Amino acid sequence: MNTADPERHWRRLGAAMHRLSAEAPRVQRWGAELAAVLSGGGRLLACGNGGSAAEAQHLTGELVGRFRGDRPPFSAIALHADTSAATAILNDYGEHEYFARQVRAHGRPGDVLVALSTSGTSQNVLNAAKAAAQEGLTVWGLTGPAPNPLATLADDAVAVDAPSVATVQEAHLAIIHALCEAFDAAVGGVR
């Protein structure tokens, strides 16, 4: 009989977070870069499937709304959230073009795409990253253990070394919050 073991889950999460601490300078740099892009009128696009879609939308919500203190809103779009566009794209072009077509529509040179995939192999996310590169966007990947195609394809990536999808997603949320904190700190210096 397989029983749940919350303590084991938390130990694995703690170990993953400990390993992730080495990525703090990268996330700090991303926050500063994102502040410069968005303060200059650029846009952030974010995509992922399932739980990663929820994480993408969490990130865009923090930027359009606020993370901690009050500040101006910034342009950020979670690509899965437009159901009418999504159903049209899926119907006319197929699931592999779901995010890529939206990247081509909304992305401009200098914008940022945050692409989330716990496996790093989601074809629609990989196609979005390829489209973003073609359109002149910067691509940041949040993935599970490397090596994986998204981590390789992205301009920069944080690959979470964790044994389960749940732990990777939990770490992605922590990265998103750290990115938002770094962004807010940098925006204070930009504005």
Side-chain angles (χ1 to χ4, degrees):
M1 180 176 177
N2 188 5
T3 60
D5 184 354
E7 289 181 15
R8 183 181 69 202
H9 178 81
W10 292 328
R11 281 193 303 273
R12 288 179 178 171
L13 177 59
M17 295 306 296
H18 179 72
R19 289 187 295 274
L20 195 57
S21 65
E23 298 292 349
R26 180 187 319 268
V27 175
Q28 186 74 30
R29 182 173 38 80
W30 285 6
E33 289 177 23
L34 188 59
V37 168
L38 299 187
S39 293
R43 165 180 300 154
L44 176 125
L45 306 177
C47 67
N49 298 300
S52 295
E55 301 286 6
Q57 194 164 356
H58 190 121
L59 172 59
T60 61
E62 300 286 21
L63 295 171
V64 174
R66 69 182 180 116
F67 179 63
R68 290 200 193 272
D70 192 33
R71 59 154 167 72
F74 291 92
S75 182
I77 300 170
L79 297 178
H80 71 278
D82 184 346
T83 56
S84 295
T87 57
I89 294 165
L90 290 169
N91 185 62
D92 295 341
Y93 298 97
E95 68 273 7
H96 295 310
E97 285 298 306
Y98 177 47
F99 297 130
R101 191 156 180 89
Q102 292 178 81
V103 166
R104 290 185 196 98
H106 299 299
R108 302 292 179 264
D111 288 349
V112 175
L113 171 70
V114 174
L116 295 95
S117 173
T118 57
S119 67
T121 62
S122 300
Q123 193 61 53
N124 59 356
V125 175
L126 292 172
N127 286 349
K130 291 174 188 174
Q134 291 167 351
E135 298 296 324
L137 282 74
T138 297
V139 179
W140 294 335
L142 294 179
T143 75
N148 64 66
L150 180 57
T152 301
L153 185 62
D155 294 303
D156 206 1
V158 175
V160 175
D161 183 14
S164 75
V165 169
T167 303
V168 171
Q169 288 176 340
E170 290 159 347
H172 284 177
L173 178 58
I175 294 165
I176 286 167
H177 282 164
L179 174 60
C180 290
E181 191 161 343
F183 173 84
D184 279 3
V187 164
V190 172
R191 289 222 174 259

